[in-house]
Amino acid sequence: MPPKRSTRHSSGPATRGSQKTLAFSSSKISKPSTPTTTTSQKSKLAQSISSLAPEDIDTKDVGHISSEAAITQQAEAEVERVVKEERTEEEERAARVTDAQIRRYWRERESERRAPRVHQQELGVEEKVLRLFDISSQYGPCIGIARMKRWVRANKLGLNPPIEVLAVLLKEEEKGNTKIERAHVDELMSSKFIIEEA
């Protein structure tokens, strides 16, 4: 026969002894504390720090730059690579992509949705394709990296990014549009909003 359970049948307060009570006024310390440093230790540390001359300290200026400047540098490096080296097979395929193929690609992506994108009506097809690429997380993060570099990285990793995106990027580079390399999400994340009081 199983042991008998002792259960409470009333909805009243718990019986004394069944639950521990919390005491907030107790001066008992339950955790060991770390020993504090003495004044002699502090003075030795202060003396060793003050004895260092500013030229003794090895500082390195890492050159803090904005996200936009970093992306511009990455885009310029990709353009130089394309100019110096021969075009890759993917770049050749992208150069053969026509505007009609890009529009067809966008219509196919748009038909997968239940409703059309409301806030992108004023944008061109090229910008819509690039923004879709920006928010496609399967190709990696889009913040802090040029779109071309992100496409190349995703391609090297075997993620099969859309060739239409590379086609749009190459066409915009030929036009001299350097701002196309920065993701729209990156612009939003690094912008500063000023809220005025009404």
Side-chain angles (χ1 to χ4, degrees), residues 130-177:
L130 293 175
R131 286 189 184 189
L132 178 66
F133 178 66
D134 292 343
I135 63 168
S136 299
S137 62
Q138 69 260 28
Y139 306 119
C142 67
I143 297 176
I145 186 169
R147 285 171 166 160
M148 177 80 78
K149 188 173 183 179
R150 182 172 179 242
W151 192 96
V152 169
R153 183 187 63 191
N155 190 43
K156 285 181 181 177
L157 292 172
L159 301 175
N160 300 325
I163 196 74
E164 291 82 5
V165 172
L166 183 60
V168 169
L169 290 171
L170 290 175
K171 287 178 184 184
E172 291 296 322
E173 276 182 11
E174 288 173 5
K175 293 177 187 176
N177 187 356

Side-chain angles (χ1 to χ4, degrees), residues 41-165:
Q41 291 174 338
K42 287 181 184 178
S43 63
K44 288 179 187 177
L45 180 62
Q47 288 174 354
S48 65
I49 290 173
S50 63
S51 68
L52 290 175
E55 56 271 352
D56 293 340
I57 301 172
D58 184 27
T59 59
K60 206 180 250 189
D61 183 19
V62 293
H64 297 288
I65 58 174
S66 67
S67 176
E68 186 174 1
I71 290 171
T72 304
Q73 289 175 354
Q74 293 171 8
E76 289 170 357
E78 284 295 320
V79 170
E80 286 178 21
R81 182 193 60 80
V82 170
V83 170
K84 287 181 182 177
E85 301 173 8
E86 290 184 19
R87 285 187 162 189
T88 63
E89 180 185 332
E90 290 82 13
E91 290 168 345
E92 290 294 331
R93 278 186 25 225
R96 291 190 298 264
V97 172
T98 64
D99 290 336
Q101 288 173 318
I102 294 171
R103 285 192 299 274
R104 187 178 328 118
Y105 168 78
W106 177 250
R107 279 195 306 269
E108 288 171 2
R109 298 292 82 74
E110 193 68 19
S111 68
E112 294 172 357
R113 296 178 53 91
R114 291 183 181 174
R117 298 168 201 271
V118 177
H119 300 289
Q120 292 185 354
Q121 293 172 349
E122 74 279 353
L123 299 176
V125 174
E126 292 83 6
E127 184 65 23
K128 290 178 183 180
V129 168
L130 293 175
R131 286 189 184 189
L132 178 66
F133 178 66
D134 292 343
I135 63 168
S136 299
S137 62
Q138 69 260 28
Y139 306 119
C142 67
I143 297 176
I145 186 169
R147 285 171 166 160
M148 177 80 78
K149 188 173 183 179
R150 182 172 179 242
W151 192 96
V152 169
R153 183 187 63 191
N155 190 43
K156 285 181 181 177
L157 292 172
L159 301 175
N160 300 325
I163 196 74
E164 291 82 5
V165 172

